[in-house]
Amino acid sequence: MLDPIEYEGIRLRPIGKAAMRQRWRSLVFLHFPADPAEIQALLPSGLQIDTFPDASGAERAWIGLVPFRMEGVTPRGVPEIPGIHAFPETNVRTYVNRDGRNPGVWFFSLEAANTLACRVARRFFHLPYHEATMSVVESPGSVEYRSKRRSGGCYCDVDATVGQALAQPIPGSLEFFLVERYLLYSVRGNQCFTGRVFHKPYSVQSANVTLLRENLVAAAGIQPKQFVHTLYSPGVEVEVFRLRPEA
């Protein structure tokens, strides 16, 4: 089990034993700022948009597009099964809290190239997963992501070059706000749930997007804008805990 971590001054401790382990690899974090009221209108009752100032100093919501690879996706105590435990994934997300507490992630959509994983995530984590045909091609200093949803016509193609290592994000920075999140929210009916994940803090590198074609943001009901912030991370080892209902 990973050691407890500090998040915005709060020492997070695992609750019981992890239900699942995963490895998140070759992540590109793409973000743009958005009108908080616009994004708040897309959230379920009980969640509030989390904001961070943009370059002008205005408090903004932030929309993330994050393509990456999943490895070692297995329930606790179950060995990795070839052909099942590893697959690409892409999510569209924003950042939320509950009454100013418990900062976390709200997912508008998640694409995955694994039918079983999509079904399990929809059923047990109440997350909006979509099955997609996807690939990740990695070369020294670059990575290419391709994704096409198997129904509905949504797609996401991203090419990026990877640059120098950056300082680890620190609390109070935009980078920390965007990448160091250890809580997800989901909803089933009128019930809100939280799910904790645990991993060591991300190591990050500069990145430059050389190709971007996508309509996942618009499909989520969000007005697309130019992505203004990009980071790359080689990845982290992750423990995933069961959902808990919110009071």
Side-chain angles (χ1 to χ4, degrees):
M1 179 176 290
L2 298 176
D3 293 333
I5 55 176
E6 294 284 342
Y7 181 82
E8 293 190 342
I10 302 171
R11 189 167 175 79
L12 299 175
R13 294 180 180 275
I15 303 169
K17 295 180 178 180
M20 184 177 294
R21 63 181 185 272
Q22 303 175 357
R23 297 188 296 273
W24 300 345
R25 296 288 186 253
S26 305
L27 304 96
V28 168
F29 296 91
L30 302 167
H31 286 92
F32 67 79
D35 176 25
E38 174 194 347
I39 307 306
Q40 181 66 54
L42 301 175
L43 299 180
S45 176
L47 294 181
Q48 292 80 45
I49 197 70
D50 217 352
T51 65
F52 196 96
D54 64 10
S56 72
E59 291 291 332
R60 307 290 278 173
W62 288 82
I63 303 302
L65 177 69
V66 186
F68 64 107
R69 288 190 297 108
M70 300 271 273
E71 295 179 353
V73 181
T74 53
R76 182 177 177 271
V78 175
E80 296 180 10
I81 302 174
I84 295 178
H85 77 275
F87 48 89
E89 183 167 323
T90 297
N91 62 67
V92 177
R93 60 204 262 180
T94 194
Y95 305 101
V96 298
N97 61 64
R98 280 177 67 86
D99 300 320
R101 300 175 290 105
N102 299 329
V105 177
W106 174 258
F107 293 105
F108 291 105
S109 67
L110 305 99
E111 318 292 304
N114 185 297
T115 298
L116 178 60
C118 289
R119 291 176 179 175
V120 169
R122 287 193 296 259
R123 178 173 180 180
F124 294 103
F125 289 89
H126 317 314
L127 292 171
Y129 266 85
H130 300 272
E131 299 169 27
T133 301
M134 309 176 76
S135 65
V136 180
V137 178
E138 297 171 81
S139 303
S142 68
V143 60
E144 300 176 357
Y145 309 90
R146 298 291 182 268
S147 176
K148 184 175 182 180
R149 194 175 291 179
R150 292 176 186 168
S151 62
C154 290
Y155 58 88
C156 180
D157 299 336
V158 179
D159 292 356
T161 57
V162 179
Q164 65 183 1
L166 303 174
Q168 184 175 306
I170 60 173
S173 68
L174 175 59
E175 289 73 22
F176 189 93
F177 177 89
L178 296 176
V179 305
E180 296 299 344
R181 298 275 167 161
Y182 298 88
L183 190 71
L184 67 85
Y185 288 93
S186 65
V187 170
R188 182 180 64 182
N190 295 321
Q191 178 68 61
C192 182
F193 296 83
T194 56
R196 289 200 179 276
V197 299
F198 289 86
H199 57 76
K200 293 182 178 179
Y202 281 105
S203 60
V204 295
Q205 296 170 239
S206 62
N208 180 55
V209 173
T210 57
L211 171 72
L212 175 59
R213 294 190 297 255
E214 66 86 24
N215 63 359
L216 295 178
V217 171
I222 301 166
Q223 178 65 40
K225 296 182 175 67
Q226 181 179 357
F227 290 95
V228 300
H229 192 279
T230 307
L231 288 173
Y232 172 85
S233 177
V236 288
E237 308 280 329
V238 185
E239 294 175 343
V240 179
F241 290 77
R242 295 185 185 279
L243 287 186
R244 287 176 170 260
E246 286 283 287

